[in-house]
Amino acid sequence: MYTVTNPATGELVEEIENATDEEVRAAIERVHHGYSSWRRRPVAERAKIVSRAAELFAERADELAAIMTLEMGKRINEGRGEVGIVVDIFDYYADNGPALLADEPLELRSGPAVIVKQPIGALLGVMPWNFPCYQVARFVAPNLVLGNTILLKHASICPRSAAAIAEILHDAGVPEDVYVNTFASSRQVPAILADPRIAGVSLTGSEPAGISVATEAGRNLKRTVLELGGSDPLIVLDTADLDETVKATATARMRNCGQSCNAPKRMIVLAELYDEFVDRMSKHVTDFFQPGDPADPATKLPPLASSSAADEVAGQVRRAVEQGATLRAGGNRVGPGAYLEATVLTDVTPEMDAYREEIFGPVVLVFRASTEDEAVAIANDSPFGLGASVWGTDPERMRRVAERIEAGMVYLNRAGGSVADLPFGGIKRSGIGRELGAAGFEEFMNKKSIRL
């Protein structure tokens, strides 16, 4: 069942039945059939349609933001900002796609050859709820320009976002059998992956979901991109303005109510700054991030996406304290709705569950490091490797530390976020493959060698 439940109030707004097995098979046939004609459309035509989609996303930004606020509690201003990133992604691939897909001449020792870049077929996208538009865009935009077709299964709490995205793409000129939204259930995903008409899958979601999809994809020899969880480290080496550093890092952590895969979840602060950093962070999140209505632009802390999500994060905090961590701020469920106070935990040790698990909510973990080497060691002592950030005043020192961190992405004096032309992805248990930038084309591309 797909459901719309307002997380600010707990009100059930709408229920939609899952697609039947027959409807799912029909959707697969549609995208398979659509591929034969879409791949033959000139890339300039496909890019023009993707450019028009960017225009329509911009025109309907308020509508999309309101849907996200209702479905998963995103602050209305953050929803508008998310649509802005979507527009940038569609514009980037529309503008740069034809050049990025140009043939690559090769001069071999034995003579000339060329690499021809071609699509591979119909793809399945399994999308999450935390960024209902952005994460669809980074999978869909490059593949539409490349010439692949898309069967999209969105998160079960985001049916209105799924329908609105499909409407925009079809209004922009994407044929209805090139992008097909399906309200399939998770139970039906293995059968979709087993179907020979599906050439690959991209999933953004939890680690268990990634393992499940990767298992089925491997069993059926399907290309796979996985963007999974993260417990990103943020290292503070030094600062010229501690208050500004605290505010900037807290804002990065609390973005999307802490429900971002590449949010800075573990803040590692050198000893000379640690005590003051913890005191100021605890005061700032308590004073500034007060729960409120996500539809109100003045709100700083919205609800989590669901009551079950809020209960899970509150349980993680409670378990950490029971195991010996120190609660410096917050930690309580507040309501009605799926609200959790902005929270700060310290004294988390490797023996505690919170040390290695991802906490997907408004919770800051702060660690003390005596040296730069110890800070790097704490940063790397994680099963995840999505993003990271290094904060300081010496660019060379920050760059040196960044190169030692085990992650797919490292930012200096900023954390999290995403831009259209920068590859996005991680290592370890944070996933497989890359999206965005030129890399966004290559995961589901046939780089065919032609020997001349």
Side-chain angles (χ1 to χ4, degrees), residues 400-452:
R400 182 179 69 243
V401 171
E403 291 183 353
R404 298 174 63 193
I405 295 175
E406 297 168 356
M409 308 169 286
V410 184
Y411 297 83
L412 305 184
N413 283 337
R414 64 180 62 197
S418 179
V419 291
D421 50 356
L422 183 69
F424 189 105
I427 60 172
K428 298 182 179 178
R429 300 187 76 84
S430 287
I432 300 168
R434 293 293 183 271
E435 294 179 302
L436 299 178
F441 279 120
E442 295 183 359
E443 299 291 353
F444 298 107
M445 174 191 291
N446 177 17
K447 302 179 80 169
K448 183 189 293 182
S449 301
I450 299 179
R451 180 70 167 83
L452 303 178

Side-chain angles (χ1 to χ4, degrees), residues 23-45:
E23 288 170 335
V24 170
R25 286 191 291 269
I28 295 171
E29 176 56 30
R30 286 175 59 193
V31 290
H32 173 68
H33 179 266
Y35 174 65
S36 61
S37 57
W38 183 246
R39 67 175 302 186
R40 291 197 298 269
R41 295 274 288 270
V43 64
E45 288 185 17

Side-chain angles (χ1 to χ4, degrees), residues 124-128 139 151-155 189 201-205 213:
L124 171 65
V126 182
M127 297 291 108
F139 166 57
L151 179 64
L152 200 289
K153 181 214 170 304
H154 216 314
V189 168
V201 58
S202 177
L203 175 137
T204 300
V213 165

